[in-house]
């Protein structure tokens, strides 16, 4: 399934490096060409000879090696690949990636690449949970760096907890989903809305909300990983465009509706955007000025089009599966069930956005998938994990009747 695909595998210094030898074998079994970069730390755990013998290619180790640079400069090395995989990705290399440090061949190639990057972190639990590591991971996620794992369990250091590198087979499956084009949603078109909308008051002021777009962007990326052809319609966010999908940038709710309609037909629509319910009726074309002694201006609001409700209406253009979100601060499940009926969509993903929930702008989410068939409550997890799980559930829906 990976015939002719080129993987640059960066092996950094963790005990899990031995699993990367297995990964090389598995990738080759599937027809991929694997080129390896071994960091100084990586070479403490696996030998260059073993990596070279398995990959059938020389191992690249030095940034300032005359022969390496003559044969294959670090820029070419980083670009002549369809995917860059860092496995194991230590806390150190993750920190270097986040900071943009380029002080060896691996970090330089990572800075120079224009290809998707997948990291498979592996480290001690305390290092994984450290605020510095988590902040670095958030930075990488915002830049569109893909991640698999780590899992939890017995660690080589003798402790138990999160930090165990994903198994080679799991990494292989992820790579196949990314490159193989054989994911369960291959051939299906999906539209995802994400982020807030901005409703202009005048040319310099607008009404907005706290949505970061993290959850919507993660869902778009997860659907693409499963092979869907995804159009992400995004309000103003500070996130990088996820790789491998089409991104349409809009500001207002009206523009978002237009962009969604222009992206049709699609079989899947996920409305994760926090669309402003109201636009400004008396929007000024010039900046509103303060007038001495005059009362503050009044902003008149008009209802915005409801994208989810509009696209849920029966008709030939209706996507086969329409998923909405319910951002609630109270009576979460009751409000979500009412919203499901009112909007006419197939599923509602309900999440608590009350103060203290940390959902808006945060990294994690606690969601309940509300369908006519019942409620599926998921434990609190990272937004990427919510996205993967939702994408998997969407994919399984397309294998059988809608539930
Ligand atoms: N939505 C939309 N267009 C709008 C408003 C909301 O597509 N103009 C979608 C959101 O993307 C989300 C769902 O509708 O999928 C629910 O949004 P939410 O703001 O939680 O609900 P509201 O419809 O605004 O209802 P309420 O204000 O009563 O909470």
């Amino acid at each position: 399934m990976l015939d002719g695909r080129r993987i640059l595998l960066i092996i950094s210094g963790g005990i899990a490096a031995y699993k990367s030898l297995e990964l090389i074998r598995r990738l080759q079994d599937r027809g991929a060409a694997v080129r390896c970069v071994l960091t100084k730390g990586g070479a403490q755990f696996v030998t260059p000879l073993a990596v070279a013998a398995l990959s059938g290619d020389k191992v690249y180790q030095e940034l300032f090696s005359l022969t390496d640079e003559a044969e294959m400069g670090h820029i070419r090395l980083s670009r002549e690949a369809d995917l860059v995989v860092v496995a194991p990705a230590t806390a150190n290399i993750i920190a270097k990636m986040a900071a943009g440090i380029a002080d060896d061949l691996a970090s330089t190639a990572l800075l120079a690449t224009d290809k998707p990057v997948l990291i498979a972190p592996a480290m001690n639990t305390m290092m994984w949970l450290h605020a510095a590591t988590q902040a670095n991971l958030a930075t990488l996620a915002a830049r569109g760096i893909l991640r698999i794992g780590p899992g939890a369990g017995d660690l080589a250091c003798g402790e138990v907890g999160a930090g165990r590198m994903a198994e080679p087979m799991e990494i292989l499956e992820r790579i196949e989903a990314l490159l193989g084009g054989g994911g369960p949603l291959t051939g299906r078109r999906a539209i995802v809305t994400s982020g807030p909308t901005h409703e202009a008051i005048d040319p310099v002021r607008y009404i907005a909300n706290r949505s970061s777009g993290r959850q919507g962007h993660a869902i778009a990326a997860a659907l693409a990983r499963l092979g869907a052809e995804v159009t992400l319609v995004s309000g103003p966010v500070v996130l990088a465009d996820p790789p491998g999908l089409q991104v349409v940038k809009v500001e207002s709710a009206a523009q978002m509706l237009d962009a969604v309609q222009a992206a049709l037909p699609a079989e899947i629509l996920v409305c994760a955007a926090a669309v402003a319910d109201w636009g400004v009726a008396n929007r000024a074309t010039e900046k509103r000025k303060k007038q001495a002694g005059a009362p503050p201006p009044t902003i008149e609001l008009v209802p915005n089009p409801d994208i989810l409700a509009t696209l849920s209406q029966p008709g030939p253009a209706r996507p086969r599966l329409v998923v909405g979100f319910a951002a609630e601060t109270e009576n979460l499940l009751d409000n979500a069930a009412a919203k499901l009926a009112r909007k006419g969509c197939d599923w509602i993903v309900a999440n608590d956005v009350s103060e203290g929930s940390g959902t808006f702008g945060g990294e994690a989410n606690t969601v309940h998938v509300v369908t006519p068939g019942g409620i599926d409550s998921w434990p609190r997890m990272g937004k990427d994990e919510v996205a993967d799980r939702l994408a998997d559930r969407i994919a399984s829906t397309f294998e059988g009747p809608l539930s």
Side-chain angles (χ1 to χ4, degrees):
M1 265 180 73
L2 290 172
D3 273 341
R5 306 316 295 264
R6 299 160 308 169
I7 313 286
L8 180 69
L9 175 63
I10 295 175
I11 303 173
S12 68
I15 182 70
Y18 78 92
K19 292 189 191 174
S20 302
L21 298 179
E22 166 85 5
L23 179 61
I24 297 171
R25 284 295 298 270
R26 300 277 183 184
L27 285 166
Q28 286 182 326
D29 287 349
R30 306 291 162 111
V34 189
R35 186 167 271 158
C36 296
V37 170
L38 191 59
T39 66
K40 270 206 176 61
Q44 300 290 326
F45 293 94
V46 290
T47 69
L49 192 61
V51 176
L54 283 168
S55 68
D57 194 354
K58 71 167 289 184
V59 181
Y60 295 84
Q61 291 181 273
E62 300 295 333
L63 179 57
F64 298 114
S65 151
L66 280 180
T67 48
D68 284 2
E69 277 295 307
E71 288 167 16
M72 168 70 71
H74 62 273
I75 304 285
R76 258 183 71 201
L77 190 63
S78 69
R79 309 244 173 106
E80 283 189 4
D82 298 306
L83 177 71
V84 181
V85 179
V86 189
T90 58
N92 184 48
I93 202 158
I94 288 170
K96 284 204 232 177
M97 288 171 77
I101 292 172
D103 64 350
D104 63 3
L105 182 60
S107 53
T108 307
L110 284 162
L111 199 59
T113 192
D114 58 353
K115 296 298 182 320
V117 177
L118 172 68
I119 60 171
M123 66 196 74
N124 163 272
T125 301
M126 297 308 281
M127 292 170 79
W128 171 253
L129 294 175
H130 196 285
T133 304
Q134 291 300 316
N136 290 333
L137 287 160
T139 301
L140 296 185
R143 288 187 200 142
I145 302 291
L146 307 166
R147 171 163 71 82
I148 179 161
D154 292 333
L155 303 176
C157 55
E159 292 181 14
V160 178
R164 208 157 89 168
M165 187 170 96
E167 294 304 319
M169 279 311 285
E170 291 173 71
I171 302 176
L172 179 75
E173 277 168 22
R174 184 66 170 277
I175 293 172
E176 280 182 331
L178 285 167
L179 294 181
L185 291 174
T186 300
R188 311 239 180 234
R189 280 195 38 74
I191 304 171
V192 179
T193 70
S194 180
T197 62
H198 285 182
E199 307 298 327
I201 297 169
D202 66 20
V204 297
R205 304 182 181 94
Y206 56 81
I207 299 174
N209 61 64
R210 294 184 193 280
S211 168
S212 66
R214 282 210 180 98
Q215 188 63 81
H217 276 52
I219 291 167
L223 291 169
R225 281 197 290 277
L226 296 188
E229 195 187 316
V230 182
T231 301
L232 171 63
V233 180
S234 174
V237 294
V238 292
L239 304 174
D241 295 347
L245 44 87
Q246 205 192 337
V247 184
V248 181
K249 294 179 184 172
V250 298
E251 292 209 342
S252 65
Q255 290 168 355
M256 190 171 270
L257 175 62
D258 287 347
V260 169
Q261 283 174 326
L264 288 169
E267 287 159 288
I268 302 158
L269 171 67
V270 181
C271 288
V275 185
D277 287 321
W278 303 282
V280 177
N282 54 342
R283 174 182 172 177
T285 49
E286 305 297 336
K287 184 183 169 194
R288 285 173 184 260
K289 305 292 286 176
K290 289 188 292 293
Q291 314 269 344
T298 306
I299 297 171
E300 287 166 26
L301 300 176
V302 277
N304 269 334
D306 189 317
I307 301 163
L308 177 63
T310 306
L311 273 287
S312 294
Q313 276 168 22
R318 187 193 194 277
R320 196 174 135 200
L321 179 69
V322 181
V323 182
F325 269 69
E328 305 291 345
T329 56
E330 56 185 353
N331 302 330
L332 179 64
L333 295 179
D334 287 348
N335 283 342
K339 211 164 268 184
L340 182 72
R342 197 168 70 240
K343 303 251 185 181
C345 56
D346 301 298
W347 303 352
I348 283 279
V349 180
N351 55 359
D352 179 0
V353 293
S354 55
E355 236 176 292
S357 69
T359 302
F360 264 143
E363 293 301 324
N365 208 348
T366 310
V367 308
H368 312 262
V369 181
V370 182
T371 72
I375 297 170
D376 191 6
S377 294
W378 296 350
R380 187 167 178 77
M381 59 181 88
K383 288 183 176 175
D384 285 340
E385 276 143 311
V386 170
D388 280 331
R389 218 162 142 167
L390 188 66
D392 283 342
R393 184 160 174 171
I394 289 173
S396 54
T397 296
F398 277 84
E399 285 164 8
L402 284 181
S403 59

